[in-house]
Amino acid sequence: MGLIILLIVGGIVGWLASLIMRTDGQQGIFLNVVVGIVGAALAGFIVTPLIGGAPITSGAISIQSILVSLLGAVILLALINLFRRGAVR
């Protein structure tokens, strides 16, 4: 059950991050889910220990963990755009 919730929340976070970075038209639902989960994992390992709380990958879903995951997904999309186009956008 935790994996299904992670996929759903990861998809929503990835979709929101793609809307923020204006890359939604270039990505499909699969890439949104991947960006959301990878961004959440990176932010969970890097940002969450600094501010406290549980990462979304541990199954604890709170406003703080969703915002940290969104931040991680936006940063991941910015890095992808930087390497792909040479500009963050």
Side-chain angles (χ1 to χ4, degrees), residues 44-73:
F45 292 127
I46 297 170
V47 177
T48 303
L50 297 174
I51 62 172
I56 202 166
T57 54
S58 70
I61 297 179
S62 65
I63 297 296
Q64 179 186 10
S65 64
I66 291 174
L67 290 177
V68 168
S69 299
L70 181 62
L71 176 70

Side-chain angles (χ1 to χ4, degrees), residues 9-10 17 21 46 60 68 75 77 79:
V9 173
M21 294 299 293
I46 297 170
V68 168
I75 290 172
L77 277 177
L79 289 174

Side-chain angles (χ1 to χ4, degrees), residues 15-59:
W15 175 68
L16 288 174
S18 69
L19 287 177
I20 291 171
M21 294 299 293
R22 289 183 238 123
T23 60
D24 190 43
Q26 303 162 358
Q27 298 180 169
I29 191 167
F30 179 72
L31 194 56
N32 280 340
V33 172
V34 169
V35 165
I37 292 174
V38 172
L42 289 174
F45 292 127
I46 297 170
V47 177
T48 303
L50 297 174
I51 62 172
I56 202 166
T57 54
S58 70

